[in-house]
Amino acid sequence: MCLGMGLAYLGAFAHPEPHQLPVAVVGSGAEAKVLAQELHDPTGDALDVRTLPDRAAAEQALRTREITGAYLPGSSSILVATAGSDTSATAAEKVFAPVAEQQGEPLHVTDVVPPAEGDPTGQGIFFLLVALSIGSYASVAALGAAGSALPMRLRALLVAGTSFVVSLIGTAFAGPVFRLVDHGLWGLWGMSWLYSAGILFLGVGLHTFLKRWTTLGVMVLFVMLNFTSSGGIFRPELQNGFFGSLHAFWNGAGFVEGLRSLVYFDGYGLARNVWTLVAWLGLALVVITAAGVTERRRTVRAATAAQQPVESVQPAAGAERGEPVPVQRRSEAEIAAQEEEMEESVAV
C-alpha cells in the first residue's frame, strides 16, 4: 500500500505541468492573433491558445468549460472560472501575468463562475469524494469478510442499503452541514448513490475471487487511481498522460465533474458524467452476478466432494483410530481462514 500510494500520489501531484492547457486571447484583430501565436510557439504542447471575438464569447466558452482562462489585451484582464478548477485557473493566470506586466499593468482577474460560499477553493467536492469513497470501500471489507457466509442475494441487499446510507451521509455533509453546494442536492444525492453503489457492488463481487486481497484491490481502484485522476486537485490538462487518460472514464472523475456540471455549469456535460457512473455500476452488477454464480458452483463441488469421503471411509479405516475426518479438517481450515481475513480487514 505504501508503494502504491507513493507512486500514485507523487506521480499524479508532485510535478503538475500544463499539457494542452486551453486558454484564449479575446479580440478579432491582428493583434490578438499575433499575441496568441507568440504564446503558443515557445510553449509547444503546453498551451492550446485560441482567439475569441469578444468578451461574451469568452464567458460562454468558460461556462461550457472549453477554456480555463481568457485574456483581454486592452484592459490587461483575465476571465477565469474557478468553480471548474482553482488550480487550472491559477495556471491560466500565470500564463498571462507576464503579458500584462509587459503592458505596464497588473493582471486583473474576473471570476466568471465562482464556487459556492461554503467552498471557497472549489475543492470541497473532492473531499466529499474522499468521504464517500472511504465509507464505501471500508464497508466492502466488512461485507466481504464478515458477510462471506451469507447468500449473495442477501449481501446484495446489504450493499444496496449501505450505499443508500453512505449517499445520505455525503449529501448531508455537502448540504446542511458544510454547505459545499447551495443547490442541486437531489442530483448530488443521486450521483452519490450511483458512485457508492458502484464501489460496493464491485468490491463485494471481487471478494469472491480476491479474498484477503480485496482490500488492497479496492484501494488500488478507488484510492490510488481514483483520487489522483478525479480532477479534484489537478485536472488532466495539468497532469501527465496516464492520469489524464484515466480522467476520461474513471468513476471518481465522473462524480467530481458531474457535480461541478450540475452545480456550477448549468448541467453542461452532466449526462456524460452520469453515464460514466452508470457504466461503473453496470460493471459492478456484472461482477457480483459472476461472483454469485461462481460461489454456487463452488458450493456444489464442495458438497459433492464432501459426500465421497463420508461414503467410502469406514469406521475401522479412520474413526476407530482417532483420525480426523477430512470434511472436519476442511471446515476448520475454512473457519480459521475466514477469521484471519476478518482480522486483517478490521486492521486495515
Side-chain angles (χ1 to χ4, degrees):
M1 286 186 179
C2 179
L3 179 63
M5 293 290 282
L7 289 173
Y9 273 74
L10 295 176
F13 298 147
H15 300 286
E17 294 179 349
H19 175 71
Q20 292 293 318
L21 181 71
V23 294
V25 176
V26 179
S28 56
E31 180 183 357
K33 295 180 180 179
V34 170
L35 176 58
Q37 194 67 36
E38 290 177 349
L39 287 170
H40 178 270
D41 288 344
T43 60
D45 293 335
L47 299 179
D48 176 13
V49 187
R50 65 196 72 178
T51 59
L52 294 173
D54 51 38
R55 181 179 181 128
E59 292 183 356
Q60 180 63 21
L62 286 167
R63 291 192 173 95
T64 55
R65 312 191 70 181
E66 297 176 22
I67 59 174
T68 59
Y71 182 69
L72 288 72
S75 58
S76 296
S77 299
I78 184 174
L79 308 178
V80 296
T82 56
S85 173
D86 183 70
T87 52
S88 294
T90 301
E93 293 172 22
K94 290 182 177 180
V95 169
F96 292 107
V99 179
E101 291 179 1
Q102 290 178 1
Q103 296 179 352
E105 296 184 16
L107 185 66
H108 303 286
V109 181
T110 301
D111 197 348
V112 176
V113 188
E117 184 177 352
D119 184 20
T121 65
Q123 295 181 1
I125 291 175
F126 170 73
F127 293 108
L128 174 62
L129 171 77
V130 174
L132 291 172
S133 302
I134 291 176
S136 300
Y137 76 70
S139 300
V140 167
L143 293 174
S148 59
L150 300 175
M152 183 59 78
R153 290 183 180 180
L154 181 54
R155 270 177 282 168
L157 289 175
L158 290 172
V159 164
T162 303
S163 60
F164 177 75
V165 173
V166 170
S167 65
L168 287 181
I169 294 173
T171 304
F173 282 153
V177 178
F178 293 107
R179 301 191 181 280
L180 301 177
V181 300
D182 50 19
H183 66 280
L185 281 180
W186 282 108
L188 185 151
W189 168 76
M191 283 188 284
S192 298
W193 182 84
L194 284 173
Y195 176 76
S196 177
I199 293 176
L200 274 156
F201 276 110
L202 184 57
V204 171
L206 287 175
H207 182 267
T208 299
F209 307 102
L210 300 181
K211 297 299 183 182
R212 67 178 57 189
W213 297 101
T214 303
T215 300
L216 178 59
V218 295
M219 286 281 287
V220 172
L221 290 174
F222 304 121
V223 177
M224 299 176 191
L225 298 180
N226 189 26
F227 294 171
T228 51
S229 64
S230 66
I233 303 297
F234 297 115
R235 279 182 49 81
E237 58 264 16
L238 294 179
Q239 293 186 299
N240 59 46
F242 175 73
F243 292 101
S245 61
L246 291 182
H247 182 85
F249 61 90
W250 218 256
N251 61 339
F255 177 80
V256 169
E257 300 297 357
L259 191 52
R260 285 170 173 168
S261 297
L262 173 69
V263 177
Y264 298 121
F265 295 95
D266 298 324
Y268 180 82
L270 175 61
R272 180 186 180 280
N273 292 300
V274 170
W275 278 113
T276 297
L277 297 176
V278 171
W280 274 85
L281 179 57
L283 172 64
L285 293 175
V286 171
V287 172
I288 201 169
T289 300
V293 173
T294 301
E295 289 185 359
R296 283 196 298 270
R297 291 177 178 175
R298 289 176 181 175
T299 301
V300 172
R301 287 198 299 266
T304 302
Q307 291 175 357
Q308 293 176 352
V310 171
E311 293 175 356
S312 60
V313 176
Q314 300 299 325
E320 292 180 353
R321 295 197 300 269
E323 296 178 358
V325 179
V327 175
Q328 294 176 340
R329 288 201 302 267
R330 182 166 53 249
S331 177
E332 292 172 357
E334 290 174 351
I335 293 174
Q338 184 179 1
E339 290 178 349
E340 184 179 357
E341 181 185 353
M342 289 173 63
E343 291 174 357
E344 291 177 355
S345 297
V346 170
V348 171

